[in-house]
């Protein structure tokens, strides 16, 4: 007896909850990432994750967005301040108001 075995293929499509551009500091060769999270991003898109490199994150704009590092309470991201995210350390963002714009330097 022949039976038709149908195959179900699933594909996981992942998109980033931000847009970004890479810029170079004038005349230095130092590259920065300008990353923008819009105020329309869904909170469930802002997941716990780790990065392969340490980063310095400078806040260019955004209101009441928070950064939470592993085993720490969330900290409000203040415009003009720089925050360090350690290599392979779990962290996440918590949504605030307005667009969050960050300047990221890989260290």
């Amino acid at each position: 007896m022949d039976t038709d075995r149908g195959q179900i293929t699933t594909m996981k499509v992942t998109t980033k909850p931000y847009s970004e551009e890479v810029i170079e500091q004038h005349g230095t060769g130092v590259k920065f990432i300008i990353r923008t999270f819009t105020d329309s991003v869904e909170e469930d898109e802002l997941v716990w994750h780790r990065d392969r490199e340490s980063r310095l994150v400078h806040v260019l704009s955004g209101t009441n967005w928070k950064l939470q590092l592993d085993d720490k309470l969330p900290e409000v991201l203040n415009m003009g301040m720089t925050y360090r995210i350690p290599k392979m350390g779990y962290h996440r963002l918590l949504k605030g108001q307005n667009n969050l714009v960050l300047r990221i330097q890989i260290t």
Side-chain angles (χ1 to χ4, degrees):
M1 175 179 196
D2 288 331
T3 58
D4 184 19
R5 292 186 177 187
Q7 292 185 349
I8 298 173
T9 303
T10 60
M11 183 170 65
K12 183 177 181 182
V13 177
T14 58
T15 59
K16 303 289 183 183
Y18 55 81
S19 62
E20 69 179 30
E21 64 176 311
V22 178
I23 61 169
E24 183 177 309
Q25 187 175 8
H26 182 70
T28 65
V30 176
K31 294 187 179 181
F32 292 97
I33 300 167
I34 303 298
R35 187 169 288 172
T36 303
F37 294 84
T38 66
D39 61 355
S40 63
V41 68
E42 297 293 329
E43 288 190 41
D44 62 354
E45 293 180 273
L46 303 173
V47 297
W48 285 99
H49 67 283
R50 297 185 294 180
D51 297 316
R52 292 186 179 108
E53 306 92 4
S54 293
R55 305 163 178 251
L56 292 176
V57 179
H58 184 79
V59 181
L60 300 175
S61 67
T63 305
N64 290 326
W65 287 76
K66 296 177 183 174
L67 172 64
Q68 185 172 14
L69 301 176
D70 195 25
D71 291 328
K72 304 283 184 189
L73 293 173
E75 180 179 0
V76 174
L77 293 173
N78 293 307
M79 192 166 33
M81 297 296 294
T82 300
Y83 302 85
R84 183 177 181 282
I85 298 176
K87 174 182 179 177
M88 298 307 289
Y90 279 102
H91 61 281
R92 69 175 175 163
L93 286 173
L94 298 168
K95 187 177 174 179
Q97 294 82 43
N98 306 321
N99 292 350
L100 175 65
V101 181
L102 306 170
R103 183 185 71 212
I104 302 169
Q105 180 181 1
I106 307 298
T107 58

